[in-house]
């Protein structure tokens, strides 16, 4: 199924009429713009949880793309398809307003239709920072790292990151979400992300899992990676919505301090080296 | 069915987190941004015509919203849902590129997924003109007019505008589109629109038919209209994608000359007056 998407995107990317496809967002004038769709039956099932959680997730995932490029989300447009049997339109609007307000985002339009299933498609415009963070450059010798929140009970190096693979498998098997998983309700740390963006060489949002994102970074930067730790759950876990960073060797100390300040662990798991990266496992989405 | 959309939009519009909802697009920084969705089974049936015609229409309708506010379309994002049985992904990408290139629009991202039906949702960013044309102000004494293209065979006052009601009824009844209708393939006249935008007081894209758009203008400007001609087909015909203009009395002569220059007829059909507008017929969409 993924082939059709691939063909479409490849064809567009090769055409002279496109640019910026492949990053989390695209720089247009003073804005960074990102666009993402959440479709019932593809990205979520309604049985997985309450409407507000599903919608919150979809919205936060999009805001996350904007922060990932070091921009501040300012405006949101929503294409909404409401199923015929849907009775919570007012509730949905309130949820949307409340989250938008919480992040200082203005809702500026969109399109609302009644159809068969529940779909959301967001377009978010963010105010470009002085520096924009892209997925390149990453060069030989740069360190690859992600951030994992320290839970109050877990101040050791044990990772809170990487549990979503289990949550997703459970969701697909039992049609339910484990409580308090980031998979159900991603937590954004905008201040921390913006601080890290300033010292990182490159970065991106982890949505399909580190293994899948690394393949993208390797291709884009023509590099390979040397791993410091065995590839476990942390490597395949999707939808963590944490950042994956490339850091120059000189910034590692500063990055460790920043992570501590924001009560996170900085997990430095690989270093860029010359070579061709071998993708190990297919994206779970396909 | 329309009630659910209405509830959602009303709730959002009333919230402090929204602005700009209700116009064809919204002014954000140096851009005018518009967003529109085309869903199979709601806005079109695949039996109605070839894929390129359906997609072209969806794209042009969105470009039209940008021109309507006196901006020049520059960037497009697309959320695309491709059905499982869909074999024309490459063709679709080529069509998208070709139209974008024709209008000088860069394709800058989006999201592509495989689902049950064919859906498109466009977000277009246009470069704001010196003047932005909104749906207000319209005051007592202003003239309401639309433009109708002169066909080579029809240089009289007989209207090429207003035939889409018949085409739509046919499409719904027989699952086919009459050839050469604007309903099937709207024609944009960007140069003409941009020239008229400069002299108009207010304006908007006619998508749901003049009767429906007038209701919006009446409410927004707290006015009523005195009609110069009986309400026929021209009044109800949807999806004409021509502009509806409010012109000050002093600009009428100039407007007539402009229309002639672009081989169109300017049909001045009403004048704004004090009072409350009575909506005569419901939107065919509901």
């Amino acid at each position: 199924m993924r082939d059709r998407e691939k063909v479409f995107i490849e064809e567009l990317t090769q055409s002279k009429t496109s640019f910026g496809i492949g990053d989390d967002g695209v720089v247009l004038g003073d804005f960074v713009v990102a666009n993402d769709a959440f479709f019932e039956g593809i990205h979520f099932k309604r049985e997985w949880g309450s409407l507000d959680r599903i919608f919150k997730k979809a919205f936060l995932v999009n805001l996350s793309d904007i922060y990932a490029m070091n921009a501040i989300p300012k405006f949101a447009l929503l294409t909404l398809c409401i199923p015929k049997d849907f009775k919570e339109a007012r509730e949905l609007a309130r949820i949307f307003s409340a989250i938008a307000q919480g992040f200082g985002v203005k809702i500026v339009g969109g399109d609302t239709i009644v159809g068969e299933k529940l779909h959301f498609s967001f377009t978010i415009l963010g105010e470009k920072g002085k520096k924009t963070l892209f997925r390149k450059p990453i060069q030989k010798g740069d360190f690859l790292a992600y951030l994992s929140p320290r839970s109050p009970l877990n101040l050791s190096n044990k990772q809170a990151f990487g549990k979503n693979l289990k949550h997703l498998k459970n969701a697909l098997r039992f049609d339910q979400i484990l409580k308090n998983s980031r998979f159900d309700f991603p937590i954004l740390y905008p201040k921390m992300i913006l601080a890290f963006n300033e010292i990182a060489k490159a970065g991106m949002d982890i949505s399909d899992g580190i293994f899948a994102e690394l393949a993208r970074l390797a291709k884009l930067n023509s590099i390979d990676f040397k791993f410091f730790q065995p590839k476990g759950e942390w490597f395949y876990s999707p939808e963590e919505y944490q950042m994956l960073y490339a850091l120059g060797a000189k910034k590692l100390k500063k990055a460790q301090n920043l992570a501590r300040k924001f009560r996170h662990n900085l997990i430095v798991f690989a270093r860029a080296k010359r070579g061709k990266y071998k993708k190990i496992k297919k994206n779970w989405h396909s």
Side-chain angles (χ1 to χ4, degrees), chain A:
Chain A
M1 299 227 293
R2 222 176 156 75
D3 283 354
R4 277 184 203 120
E5 298 168 51
K6 222 175 154 182
V7 163
F8 183 80
I9 292 163
E10 272 175 8
E11 185 70 35
L12 271 194
T13 311
Q14 283 162 14
S15 87
K16 285 177 199 157
T17 33
S18 74
F19 74 88
I21 295 174
D23 264 306
D24 290 312
V26 61
V27 178
L28 303 178
D30 297 329
F31 292 113
V32 170
V33 183
N35 180 244
D36 242 321
F38 264 67
F39 272 50
E40 187 181 340
I42 298 164
H43 300 96
F44 67 89
K45 295 185 179 185
R46 277 164 79 187
E47 306 87 77
W48 282 9
S50 66
L51 178 73
D52 65 326
R53 294 195 152 230
I54 292 167
F55 191 82
K56 247 180 209 168
K57 179 175 170 175
F59 193 19
L60 289 190
V61 164
N62 274 268
L63 296 178
S64 176
D65 284 335
I66 299 292
Y67 288 120
M69 294 190 73
N70 204 35
I72 315 273
K74 289 286 168 190
F75 305 110
L77 295 103
L78 172 69
T79 296
L80 175 68
C81 181
I82 306 175
K84 288 174 190 122
D85 62 348
F86 190 78
K87 292 184 184 69
E88 302 144 290
R90 194 177 302 276
E91 195 195 335
L92 196 64
R94 283 184 188 154
I95 293 166
F96 191 23
S97 295
I99 309 173
Q101 203 159 13
F103 280 89
V105 171
K106 294 278 176 192
I107 299 164
V108 292
D111 201 0
T112 310
I113 52 179
V114 172
E116 281 170 38
K117 295 199 166 182
L118 189 61
H119 303 326
F120 327 108
S121 173
F122 292 93
T123 301
I124 315 278
L125 288 91
E127 195 179 272
K128 200 171 71 174
K130 276 187 188 168
K131 168 189 176 180
T132 303
L133 196 73
F134 294 99
R135 295 180 178 184
K136 59 180 182 181
I138 306 176
Q139 287 152 307
K140 183 193 159 197
D142 290 340
F143 288 94
L144 277 294
Y146 62 90
L147 290 151
S148 179
R150 289 183 184 174
S151 76
L153 295 168
N154 173 18
L155 287 165
S156 76
N157 207 30
K158 218 178 149 215
Q159 297 157 24
F161 182 99
K163 302 295 180 207
N164 279 348
L165 191 62
K166 190 174 73 190
H167 293 149
L168 179 63
K169 281 179 179 166
N170 261 299
L172 291 171
R173 201 184 306 149
F174 306 115
D175 275 349
Q176 63 176 32
I177 298 277
L178 297 184
K179 271 185 190 169
N180 302 322
S181 77
R182 287 176 60 84
F183 175 71
D184 180 22
F185 183 28
I187 303 160
L188 285 190
Y189 303 92
K191 280 186 190 167
M192 180 178 72
I193 294 173
L194 295 173
F196 267 91
N197 289 349
E198 292 298 326
I199 59 167
K201 284 186 69 179
M204 69 182 294
D205 213 31
I206 303 167
S207 50
D208 293 333
I210 288 181
F211 82 97
E213 313 303 6
L214 281 184
R216 288 178 187 132
L217 294 182
K219 197 177 172 190
L220 198 66
N221 291 279
S222 305
I223 42 160
D224 192 8
F225 305 105
K226 178 190 187 306
F227 289 89
F228 303 146
Q229 55 185 50
K231 295 171 194 85
E233 210 174 16
W234 65 273
F235 193 60
Y236 301 106
S237 186
E239 313 204 0
E240 297 284 353
Y241 304 108
Q242 287 280 9
M243 288 290 291
L244 174 60
Y245 283 116
L247 295 157
K250 285 178 186 168
K251 299 285 186 184
L252 267 193
K253 183 81 194 144
K254 197 167 182 182
Q256 297 285 11
N257 290 340
L258 258 187
R260 203 170 301 122
K261 185 183 156 193
F262 287 103
R263 302 185 65 78
H264 273 63
N265 293 312
L266 183 76
I267 321 289
V268 183
F269 66 92
R271 195 165 191 186
K273 64 171 186 178
R274 284 206 190 90
K276 203 175 151 104
Y277 179 78
K278 273 182 219 132
K279 205 176 164 183
I280 299 153
K281 199 183 156 182
K282 282 192 88 177
N283 190 327
W284 69 264
H285 238 318
S286 52

